[in-house]
């Protein structure tokens, strides 16, 4: 589902300036050109996570970057394991 920049700001409860900083830090990676950005539900969840880390838990900017990197690695490994599991399930039985 594509979400416009204005709709994203409303759903994520954030302002333009914060969004620009988070995109510059590469904490959020919307699709599209700089003129017309497109967001997804995953981007909203990620923005809420960043907000929770910074506001509720007091994590500094460097810490947020590290945590997001680890979260990305975790989801990448999860995806790889699901693909491996599917490959094993569909592999022919050995003779």
């Amino acid at each position: 589902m594509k979400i416009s920049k204005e709709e994203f700001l409303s759903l994520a409860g954030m302002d333009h300036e914060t969004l620009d900083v988070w995109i510059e830090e590469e904490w959020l990676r919307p699709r599209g050109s700089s003129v017309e950005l497109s967001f997804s539900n995953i981007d909203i969840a990620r923005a809420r996570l960043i907000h929770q880390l910074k506001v509720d838990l007091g994590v500094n900017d460097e810490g947020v970057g590290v945590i997001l990197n680890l979260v990305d690695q975790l989801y990448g490994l999860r995806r790889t394991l699901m693909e491996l599991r599917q490959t094993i399930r569909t592999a022919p039985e050995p003779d």
Side-chain angles (χ1 to χ4, degrees):
M1 171 184 204
K2 288 185 177 183
I3 300 170
S4 71
K5 182 177 181 178
E6 294 305 318
E7 187 177 5
F8 174 82
L9 291 170
S10 175
L11 291 169
M14 60 192 305
D15 57 52
H16 287 275
E17 184 178 308
T18 302
L19 177 61
D20 292 341
V21 170
W22 290 6
I23 291 172
E24 186 177 313
E25 290 290 332
E26 296 184 356
W27 295 349
L28 294 173
R29 297 180 206 113
R31 280 141 305 292
S33 66
S34 60
V35 175
E36 189 174 329
L37 297 175
S38 174
F39 296 88
S40 69
N41 288 328
I42 292 172
D43 294 317
I44 293 170
R46 192 170 174 100
R48 289 178 179 157
L49 171 62
I50 295 165
H51 182 269
Q52 185 178 29
L53 290 170
K54 291 180 69 61
V55 175
D56 298 343
L57 300 175
V59 177
N60 66 19
D61 288 353
E62 286 182 16
V64 170
V66 170
I67 291 168
L68 291 175
N69 186 6
L70 291 171
V71 167
D72 291 342
Q73 287 181 40
L74 178 65
Y75 279 104
L77 288 171
R78 239 179 115 202
R79 192 175 323 112
T80 300
L81 284 173
M82 286 189 307
E83 291 169 1
L84 178 60
R85 206 160 103 193
Q86 182 62 29
T87 300
I88 291 170
R89 283 183 182 162
T90 58
E93 292 290 323
D95 292 331

